[in-house]
């Protein structure tokens, strides 16, 4: 099986090296393995969907909750 470094994967997927490190450490990339201090990612791995909140709805709900506490 062929593996890519985080740098190579970031160029392939168009996202930052740090974001790929976070995806690897949270087991979002199947087959990614840690070798020493580095991650290796299978060459045929698919880019996971972005599960971060984009709408801002969560932040608005948090602000409303903090206002209700007073």
């Amino acid at each position: 099986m062929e593996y890519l470094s985080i740098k190579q994967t970031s160029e392939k997927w168009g996202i930052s090296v740090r974001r790929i490190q976070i995806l690897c450490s949270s087991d979002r990339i199947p087959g990614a393995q840690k070798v020493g201090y580095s991650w290796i990612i299978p060459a045929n791995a698919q880019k996971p969907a972005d599960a971060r909140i984009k709408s801002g709805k969560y932040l608005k709900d948090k602000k409303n909750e903090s206002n209700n506490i007073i």
Side-chain angles (χ1 to χ4, degrees):
M1 177 176 266
E2 186 177 341
Y3 290 95
L4 300 174
S5 69
I6 288 181
K7 175 91 170 135
Q8 293 168 325
T9 306
S10 75
E11 292 170 358
K12 178 180 172 184
W13 289 349
I15 58 177
S16 70
V17 169
R18 181 63 184 141
R19 183 68 188 142
I20 294 177
Q21 290 171 335
I22 292 169
L23 292 172
C24 289
S25 63
S26 61
D27 295 326
R28 300 267 323 275
I29 302 175
Q33 298 176 3
K34 192 160 191 176
V35 177
Y37 293 106
S38 302
W39 287 95
I40 56 172
I41 301 162
N44 61 353
Q46 297 295 315
K47 179 180 174 183
D50 192 354
R52 296 175 293 177
I53 297 170
K54 295 180 183 177
S55 67
K57 184 176 181 181
Y58 175 78
L59 296 175
K60 290 176 186 173
D61 290 344
K62 280 293 205 184
K63 287 179 184 177
N64 290 339
E65 288 176 12
S66 65
N67 289 339
N68 294 336
I69 295 174
I70 297 174

